[in-house]
Amino acid sequence: MAIIEVDGLTKSYGTLEVLKKMTFDVHKNDVVAVIGPSGSGKSTMLRSLVHLEEINGGSIRVSGEYLVQNGLYSKPGEIKRITSKMGMVFQHFNLFPHLTVKENLELAPKVVKGETGAEISRRSAELLEKVGLGGRASEYPSRLSGGQKQRVAIARALMMNPDILLFDEPTSALDPELTGEVLQVMKKLAEEHMTMIVVTHEMGFAREVANRVMFMDHGEIIESGHPEQLFTNPQFDRTKAFLNRSFK
């Protein structure tokens, strides 16, 4: 059974149609890379999954439960519970500058879940080790590089024990030399079978780590398939044109 099911998703800003009846699903342990030109609706689609954008039509179902069905959203309490199954990693980190790394990780579990004590401290220390920042718990974000900040953001998302991680262009704000350290953490998560949807311009990551690639353009999924098939034998001219530009 699919862990995420999207059917006929539409989203408009006034007369501008950003998502056009998108339909796809994601299964447990999938790593789905979403590629496409800027302005194609990739981030809007991703944000819709966690109710950071309200859709105009269609359905989103997570682990068999409807977040929104035929354009009608569930009750606020249900929305909160359903979206808590997903963690989001943003392009620009969104760390709280006045909190230490440890405090950034532990804030949401304390506020949302009421967690306290040794268990939350143990988990934050464990996750910082996991992303290669075990010695930086007491640092403030201003003392970290962009790559380190993004790794903290990944650890923070994992603190809520999500079933699914969503990444919105997690390396696009980083210098090229810092991109690799973030992609390495994401690759490790994939090897541990974390279900992930990754909006990315990193074609190497999409080809090597994802088990499915979706190409979006003008609010539509033009093509979707295994990375090897999509990158070596794309079926549509728009896909071919985008990949030709990307690999120049």
Side-chain angles (χ1 to χ4, degrees):
M1 180 177 148
I3 195 168
I4 294 179
E5 299 164 273
V6 175
D7 184 25
L9 190 67
T10 61
K11 170 68 179 178
S12 298
Y13 297 108
T15 58
L16 178 63
E17 197 174 16
V18 181
L19 301 177
K20 303 173 184 177
K21 294 190 175 179
M22 289 185 62
T23 297
F24 66 93
D25 56 26
V26 177
H27 288 80
K28 187 174 174 60
N29 304 334
D30 273 353
V31 178
V32 179
V34 185
I35 63 172
S38 297
S40 59
K42 304 184 301 295
S43 293
T44 301
M45 176 276 293
L46 202 68
R47 291 168 64 86
S48 297
L49 299 180
V50 285
H51 198 228
L52 293 175
E53 297 278 359
E54 287 213 352
I55 66 169
N56 300 114
S59 301
I60 299 171
R61 194 156 68 153
V62 181
S63 298
E65 297 184 286
Y66 280 105
L67 172 67
V68 52
Q69 185 174 18
N70 297 323
L72 297 175
Y73 277 90
S74 297
K75 295 178 180 178
E78 289 294 293
I79 290 173
K80 184 178 179 181
R81 186 178 59 78
I82 292 167
T83 55
S84 71
K85 298 175 183 180
M86 296 175 278
M88 183 92 171
V89 179
F90 298 91
Q91 180 177 344
H92 292 292
F93 327 130
N94 292 358
L95 300 178
F96 292 104
H98 63 291
L99 300 180
T100 66
V101 166
K102 176 181 168 68
E103 289 166 342
N104 265 282
L105 262 65
E106 296 179 3
L107 180 64
K110 286 178 178 176
V111 172
V112 177
K113 293 186 174 181
E115 295 184 29
T116 57
E119 168 58 23
I120 191 174
S121 187
R122 180 199 63 77
R123 202 159 81 248
S124 66
E126 185 179 275
L127 286 172
L128 285 175
E129 287 289 344
K130 187 186 190 77
V131 299
L133 293 170
R136 310 307 288 269
S138 61
E139 298 278 11
Y140 287 90
S142 61
R143 295 178 59 85
L144 302 179
S145 70
Q148 290 170 333
K149 289 176 185 175
Q150 193 60 291
R151 284 186 280 154
V152 171
I154 293 171
R156 180 180 61 181
L158 290 169
M159 280 293 289
M160 298 296 283
N161 293 317
D163 297 326
I164 306 146
L165 272 184
L166 311 178
F167 293 84
D168 189 8
E169 303 200 18
T171 61
S172 64
L174 302 179
D175 294 332
E177 62 267 24
L178 300 177
T179 294
E181 63 190 49
V182 174
L183 294 178
Q184 193 60 38
V185 170
M186 295 169 64
K187 184 176 180 181
K188 184 178 178 182
L189 290 172
E191 290 168 352
E192 295 171 355
H193 307 297
M194 170 62 75
T195 306
M196 299 192 287
I197 305 176
V198 185
V199 171
T200 184
H201 288 296
E202 296 293 333
M203 296 299 124
F205 175 87
R207 188 165 188 166
E208 294 166 25
V209 180
N211 67 301
R212 181 149 56 97
V213 179
M214 295 195 316
F215 170 63
M216 282 184 64
D217 194 16
H218 293 99
E220 299 177 290
I221 299 172
I222 305 301
E223 190 165 350
S224 177
H226 189 275
E228 198 60 32
Q229 179 272 316
L230 191 139
F231 282 110
T232 60
N233 189 31
Q235 301 300 299
F236 294 89
D237 289 340
R238 276 197 273 178
T239 315
K240 293 174 185 175
F242 173 76
L243 293 176
N244 284 337
R245 291 194 302 272
S246 298
F247 284 107
K248 276 185 178 179

